Amino acid sequence: MSLAQLHHLSKTYALGQLRVPALTNISLQLKPACFTVLSGPSGSGKTTLLNLIAGIDRPDQGNIEIAGQSLQRLSDNALTDFRARHIGYIFQNFNLLPVLSAYENIEYPLRLNKTPPVKRRQRVLELLDAVGLADKASHRPNQLSGGQRQRVAIARALVHQPVLVLADEPTANLDSQTGAQIIALMRELQRVQQTAFVFSSHDPQVIASADHLVLLKDGHLLTPEPIREAV
Amino acid sequence: MIALALRNLWRNQRRSSTTLLAMMIGMLSILLFGGYSRTVYYGLETDFVGRSGHLQLQRKDYFWFGSGDPQGYSLHGYKQLVNDIQQDPVLAPLLRVVTPVLQFGGIAGNFDAGLSKLVIVQGVDVTAQNEMRRWNDYQLAITPELHSMNPAAGNEAEIGIGVARMLQLCAQLDVPDCPQPQLSAIDPNTQTLAADIAALAAGQLPSEPATPAKSGAQLELLAASTGGAPNVNRLQINRAVTTGAKELDEVYLAMQLAQAQQLLYGESEERVTALQIQLYHSADLEVARTRLQELISNRWPEQPLEVHDFRTLNPAFGQITGMFAAIFGFITILISAIVLFTVGNTMSMAVLERTVEIGTLRTLGLRRSGIRRLFISEGLLLGLTGALLGTALALLFAALINQAGFTWLPPGNSNPVPITIRLWGEHQMLLGIGLTVVLVATVSAWWPARRAAQQDVVDALRYV
């Protein structure tokens, strides 16, 4: 049983007069509760594929189905609501809202989902504790280190219990030691919460921790199926 | 959403402060002028209502033709009319003063000097008129100019300074800055005329007690009586006054009603040309007018009557207040345009700087409408803060100006009035201007907000 199915996805970007194919005929199945890494050199289409799965971009051709829901058929509002409910996203640059505290940043997706305040508070405190930032709840992002910011971003991506968490090069802006800690944390949270994680990364540490590895090159899938299955 | 918008505004304090300052100065300008316009409006209303009442009951068409035929357009049985009005259960609680007035044309002569002048005579009940002039419903810092005539001395009168100048009575009446003619225009025959008029005046006033010697001047007032025959009265002029308009100063003569009636009607029925009706509050004007029109139709059918308000009777009121309203509107539009572009620019900058943040919010699941609401909320908050601070600043400046004690002479006024900015208590104006600024600020945030909401998520996230 697959969590997400990607059927014959193609995406082309216009670069001035030039049309650059970013993805060509990608078909893939993502399994639930697995750590999947999309890897490949720069320009291989990792981030584009991640954006399509996240529903923040639409393919020119093909279809994506996540948890039984075809994204193609959704209106912009419906797709946005789908993201709010079912998708978590971890950015390379953390992308925390600078005017909100760590607590408020983590709480934000719950507010979007109109979660009741009591439940919201309980869940945020739980996640703050899980990422080891219980004592930093009131800190603004500019008062946190890179690793701490990424922990907040991870907590924000998981707080509403999405079926799928997407992470775009989550360790790219961290030193190797912090990167390793972040990977370990995500692995642990993924195990506890039984959520599927999909990364785009060429960080060997991330690749090493993958259940499934998907290789991309010049917008093409190098292997028709993930080259390594979970142990 | 509002909390987030507020924090976003606080993020770039310098830019938000500059925008707020621009809005505050805009609000200050609008409100100070608005407050000043209110003072002018209330000042003019107080002056006109003090001089002629809120409403006047006149014979039909007197307003258009009466000055040419004051006797033909006069009110019969005016004492009964006054009594009916004062006893009316609807009108009585609203009334402050009801007083008759008799207006007609005549010739005032300083025949000793061989000079005469056409005048418009106001025959008034001095006590009632002075009470009317004390009307100050808006608690303005003004001192009413009262008639100087003693009600007990029937022949006392006042003239305009223009009449005094032309009849060469300035010296007797202590009129300052009164030019004297370079050439004497006295006709050699005027001495005979003076003697004739003097004899007539003496003949018409056999019962008038001798006026004790006092300061001031005397003149003879010649008018056509009911039968068309000339009648003359010798008046003791107490002082020369200014009405604020040169044209009026050159024809103004006020005398006591009883004396005026005797001059015009002799022993026949006493009439007046209008009943001046002053209310406690201008807000009751329409109620009183409606009731008077009912009385005209139902209670006084025997003579055609009509009622006019002070705005109709004094066209200058509408012209002056209209001019101030037009300037006020122009300033409001100008300032609103400045606020529109200032807030619009601030919000555009905010959208540009927060492009990645917009992408992040959209990725997290905030709809386009949510992005739009966020930026519009920021414009709204800017507007609200600017309006509140601007109002506070305007109230402070108004208080300072009011304490300074400046004065000016408004058009149509005879006395200088203090320059006051009336803002405190003007809730409707404060609310109206405040809401306008808030609305303009919100509207000016709409376009940048729309642009923010329409951004492509991926492009926004890639923005550097």
Side-chain angles (χ1 to χ4, degrees), chain B residues 109-222:
Chain B
N110 177 8
F111 295 111
D112 290 339
L115 295 167
S116 64
K117 172 77 183 78
L118 285 171
V119 290
I120 295 173
V121 182
Q122 296 273 347
V124 295
D125 177 333
V126 174
T127 308
Q129 285 289 328
N130 283 343
E131 184 55 26
M132 279 221 311
R133 289 186 178 197
R134 289 191 187 95
W135 185 83
N136 191 1
D137 198 22
Y138 302 111
Q139 286 87 44
L140 301 178
I142 51 171
T143 309
E145 190 183 355
L146 304 178
H147 285 297
S148 61
M149 294 104 81
N150 177 5
N155 67 335
E156 287 190 354
E158 287 175 354
I159 54 174
I161 56 170
V163 177
R165 184 175 64 247
M166 293 193 182
L167 297 182
Q168 295 185 13
L169 296 172
C170 291
Q172 294 95 311
L173 296 170
D174 297 326
V175 180
D177 305 322
C178 185
Q180 295 295 314
Q182 296 297 312
L183 298 171
S184 173
I186 297 173
D187 190 305
N189 295 325
T190 52
Q191 202 59 34
T192 310
L193 182 65
D196 292 348
I197 298 290
L200 183 60
Q204 291 293 328
L205 301 167
S207 57
E208 187 69 26
T211 307
K214 57 187 288 185
S215 62
Q218 286 191 335
L219 58 73
E220 276 73 42
L221 176 65
L222 188 66

Side-chain angles (χ1 to χ4, degrees), chain B residues 6 18 38 63 72 125 139 237 259 283 399 428 433:
Chain B
L6 198 60
T18 309
R38 290 318 268 176
F63 182 66
D125 177 333
Q139 286 87 44
I237 307 302
Q259 194 85 349
Q428 202 176 344
I433 297 298

Side-chain angles (χ1 to χ4, degrees), chain B residues 39-60:
Chain B
T39 308
V40 171
Y41 184 96
Y42 292 142
L44 285 172
E45 185 176 325
T46 301
D47 191 58
F48 287 132
V49 169
R51 287 174 186 276
S52 57
H54 284 97
L55 295 162
Q56 282 195 20
L57 187 68
Q58 300 173 347
R59 194 173 178 90
K60 189 167 173 48

Side-chain angles (χ1 to χ4, degrees), chain A residues 47 50-51 54 56 83 87-97 105 109 146 149-154 156-157 165-174 182 186 198-200, chain B residues 355-365 457-458 460-462:
Chain A
T47 302
L50 208 64
N51 289 344
I56 58 175
R83 281 199 303 272
I87 307 285
Y89 205 103
I90 300 166
F91 299 89
Q92 180 181 336
N93 293 319
F94 327 125
N95 288 25
L96 300 178
L97 300 175
N105 263 290
R149 288 182 205 184
Q150 196 58 301
R151 282 166 188 265
V152 174
I154 292 166
R156 181 177 67 180
V165 173
L166 303 161
D168 185 14
E169 311 243 15
T171 56
N173 282 342
L174 302 173
I182 290 294
M186 286 195 286
V198 179
F199 295 84
S200 75
Chain B
T355 302
V356 175
E357 200 175 303
I358 292 164
T360 305
L361 288 169
R362 295 276 292 125
T363 304
L364 293 179
V457 183
V458 174
L461 287 171
R462 281 187 190 145

Side-chain angles (χ1 to χ4, degrees), chain B residues 310-352:
Chain B
F310 71 94
R311 295 185 187 91
T312 307
L313 296 167
N314 303 281
F317 180 80
Q319 290 162 354
I320 295 167
T321 54
M323 181 186 74
F324 272 91
I327 297 171
F328 181 67
F330 178 73
I331 291 176
T332 304
I333 291 170
L334 205 66
I335 300 289
S336 296
I338 293 170
V339 169
L340 188 85
F341 285 107
T342 309
V343 176
N345 182 55
T346 298
M347 297 313 298
S348 294
M349 292 292 288
V351 168
L352 203 66

Side-chain angles (χ1 to χ4, degrees), chain B residues 23 30 332-344 347 376 379-380 382-384 432-447:
Chain B
M23 291 171 73
I30 297 175
T332 304
I333 291 170
L334 205 66
I335 300 289
S336 296
I338 293 170
V339 169
L340 188 85
F341 285 107
T342 309
V343 176
M347 297 313 298
I376 288 176
L380 174 74
L382 259 181
L384 273 174
I433 297 298
L435 286 178
T436 302
V437 168
V438 172
L439 184 71
V440 168
T442 309
V443 166
S444 51
W446 179 81
W447 182 253

